[in-house]
Amino acid sequence: LKEGYMDKPPRISFPYKILPLESNRLIFKHFTADDLEFVHRFHNVPGVYADPNVVLPLPLENSEAWLMNQLNSYENEGTGHIKAYLKESGEFVGRNGLRIVEIVKGNNGTKDAWYWYRGSAPKDAEVEIQVELGYAFLPEHWNKGYATESTDILCKKAFKEGMAEKIVAAVHAENLASAKVLEKCGFKPTGEVTGLGMDLIGYCLVKT
């Protein structure tokens, strides 16, 4: 880790609003500061990042920033992305999680702009705070229902714990598989948005 990376270690070591958590086939664990190399290898597997703008290999600084964002989310929000493992074999298959997204509403025909993690939107902007779902799985574990299974159990736990009355998500328009996962779990499309330098399709799941 770079000098100063953990100058302020999280006061808690796990996303307490979500864990412990398990589904029929999966069990979930939190990330730790010791996971930097693990995260870096995972994020550099072709296909893991569903972002056409991403060029591999990603620099180590990218993984450092992502991991720090999760640790900060654990500390400040009680949630964040978590690791998914197969119960039967203990094999790592991917990650899923909930985090804060700041949404700046569009006007005069402009699209809503999404900024991931609290404090990331322009300082003078009026923001709407939402809980956002995101996931990434190893390609060899695609088309096995793990993304759907983990999304379903995460959203149910979030609603049960009173974390939100609705959960949002965003996918690239060409990522039909990811959109299908959301729709299987009850998410409805809400229109085009922008985020991470891309045009995206927003989705929303409302607590019933």
Side-chain angles (χ1 to χ4, degrees):
L1 298 176
K2 291 195 301 184
E3 183 179 355
Y5 177 74
M6 287 297 291
D7 282 348
K8 294 183 178 180
R11 291 189 296 270
I12 60 174
S13 60
F14 62 93
Y16 62 90
K17 291 181 180 178
I18 292 296
L19 295 180
L21 182 69
E22 60 181 76
S23 60
N24 289 337
R25 297 177 294 170
L26 303 172
I27 189 166
F28 302 90
K29 300 179 181 180
H30 61 278
F31 287 94
T32 73
D34 294 330
D35 282 328
L36 177 58
E37 293 300 330
F38 172 80
V39 168
H40 191 54
R41 290 194 303 271
F42 173 54
H43 284 178
N44 273 291
V45 173
V48 164
Y49 257 98
D51 181 345
N53 296 323
V54 167
V55 177
L56 300 181
L58 293 168
L60 184 63
E61 288 78 8
N62 177 283
S63 299
E64 285 181 336
W66 185 90
L67 183 57
M68 178 56 88
N69 280 331
Q70 305 322 305
L71 300 181
N72 285 336
S73 290
Y74 294 172
E75 176 184 354
N76 299 322
E77 315 292 348
T79 188
H81 274 229
I82 50 180
K83 297 178 284 188
Y85 294 86
L86 295 179
K87 281 184 181 179
E88 186 173 334
S89 65
E91 182 180 0
F92 171 77
V93 295
R95 59 171 169 82
N96 203 330
L98 300 165
R99 53 195 172 179
I100 293 297
V101 63
E102 296 184 331
I103 300 176
V104 178
K105 305 299 288 185
N107 55 66
N108 298 323
T110 63
K111 301 171 185 176
D112 292 356
W114 289 28
Y115 298 88
W116 277 262
Y117 305 106
R118 196 181 296 274
S120 58
K123 299 304 180 184
D124 58 346
E126 183 176 341
V127 301
E128 175 184 297
I129 303 295
Q130 296 291 348
V131 173
E132 180 262 357
L133 174 116
Y135 44 81
F137 285 80
L138 289 168
E140 60 263 36
H141 295 293
W142 292 355
N143 302 314
K144 297 179 181 179
Y146 298 140
T148 301
E149 184 174 327
S150 58
T151 293
D152 181 65
I153 196 71
L154 271 168
C155 292
K156 288 177 178 176
K157 181 68 176 286
F159 288 147
K160 180 181 178 181
E161 294 297 322
M163 291 176 57
E165 293 299 311
K166 69 177 181 180
I167 296 170
V168 301
V171 302
H172 193 273
E174 297 179 0
N175 193 347
L176 301 180
S178 189
K180 187 176 180 180
V181 167
L182 295 175
E183 290 166 3
K184 280 184 178 179
C185 294
F187 282 77
K188 304 297 183 185
T190 56
E192 295 183 355
V193 302
T194 63
L196 304 175
M198 297 183 291
D199 290 329
L200 305 168
I201 305 297
Y203 281 81
C204 180
L205 177 67
V206 178
K207 182 179 180 179
T208 57

